[in-house]
Amino acid sequence: MHKFRVGADRPSMDPMERRRQRSVIKRKAINFTKIVSLVGIRHATDSKNSVVRRVVWILWLMFGTGFALHQIIERLQEYNAYILRTDLQFITDQDQLQFPQVTLCNDNPVPKVSKTVDDVLTKIDENYKSMKDSEKKEPRSRKEHEDKLKAHLQDLRYLTSQWEEQSKNFSMSAQDAFVEAMFDHKAVEAHEVMTDLGYCYAFSTNEKPYLSSKGGASNGLYFVLRLGHTKFDKYPGYKMLIHDPHVEPRFKGSTAVIDLKFQTLTRVAISYEHILYRGLPYYDCNDTDEYYRTSNCLAACDEEVNKFKCNCSDVYMKDDSRYPVCSYGELLSCTQYFPPDVVNSPKLEGCKCDRECNTSTYKTSATQTPSLVLAKEVLSGYVFYPSITYTKAENVPAYLFLDLLGDIGGALSLLLGATILTVYEVCEFIVLVVKDYVLFQCLK
């Protein structure tokens, strides 16, 4: 049996064969320049032309090739930047428009439970103010005021241990709170919802949305509210929040809250704007769920922070078997007077909120006028669309793939008289030459 070593015993290629191979490749290249759809290349390679003419054509081809490559690279960079432009549309041909959720909350989430609770709340406020004042004037006395504040808060925890039941029992029901509520000339009922201000009332919720078919104050939501201030210590009033029905109502920290006062008629005109963002690779947002809202995710994270700090959950938070319901005293002690500082807790590492791709925003314009017709314990309001129109803002790609092909073809045809098919011709020729060369080497 004979053994062969690859490469080591292969005889060197005969010089005549090398010259023949080069001659074949050269002849194919010359023939290719005569048939390729590239203006000027046959003049640069034609041996019958003078040297000066061939040099001029070569210089033109070098300039055209270089400038075309520069243009193509710029266009590719622009395409890979995934630039967006905003396409604004003013929609006026709608027969109906979904009404936003209107949530109304009493200005006084703490009912007048007893004289003892009122006294403790007064002492808490006094000690808290003294503690803050001592930070600037007498830092040493801060600890004393802080200890007193914690002691009063501890007393309040026991006095309001049944805070969830008290909130339900002392808050007025929707039937008692509303003298009248109408939408589009039809009587409607408010739904009781739990928010960060306690038990509130909502219209046009996600479960039961309202649809507006006409614009104007008389075709929107009209309500008359009882204040019921005899159950509360502070000045009577309500807070109103107009928001996307898919967003959980959060009053604290919101800049869209409208204050409603007694013996006042409030008119609120709303305008709707629908914003659509493109998902990846154009914009990093959650496009898997049409009703995903970033604010809901952030609210859930905030709830986790407060639960971890307080070791209990507020009554408006989602049911969690890990934590009992907080008393009012616990809420004050761990959120208002001693805010949580556990953002970097290991339990919250997985709390990451994506941006939403689908956003609905409601802008409001409110006017308030005193009304002597209304009783002292009553306020009223209108919420309406001035017209059944809305603005749609959609982010669309500013540079499409067809635009890229058009620019590449324009650069090639203007500077070289070529097309994208010419590029394929050149690539095909190179592949065939390399293939012939490799086969020749293998046969040898």
Side-chain angles (χ1 to χ4, degrees), residues 40-87:
I41 192 170
R42 67 176 180 272
H43 299 299
T45 58
D46 191 354
S47 58
K48 296 179 181 180
N49 293 332
S50 65
V51 175
V52 175
R53 187 180 180 188
R54 292 171 65 184
V55 169
V56 170
W57 276 108
I58 290 173
L59 291 176
W60 272 113
L61 286 170
M62 291 174 62
F63 169 77
T65 303
F67 200 70
L69 286 174
H70 174 71
Q71 291 293 317
I72 292 171
I73 291 172
E74 277 194 346
R75 299 285 79 77
L76 287 172
Q77 289 175 343
E78 182 178 354
Y79 179 75
N80 289 328
Y82 301 111
I83 301 173
L84 293 170
R85 63 178 175 84
T86 302
D87 185 12

Side-chain angles (χ1 to χ4, degrees), residues 200-221:
C200 302
Y201 320 107
F203 296 95
S204 186
T205 61
N206 187 31
E207 293 76 17
K208 193 175 181 180
Y210 297 169
L211 296 175
S212 289
S213 56
K214 295 181 181 179
S218 60
N219 298 305
L221 175 66

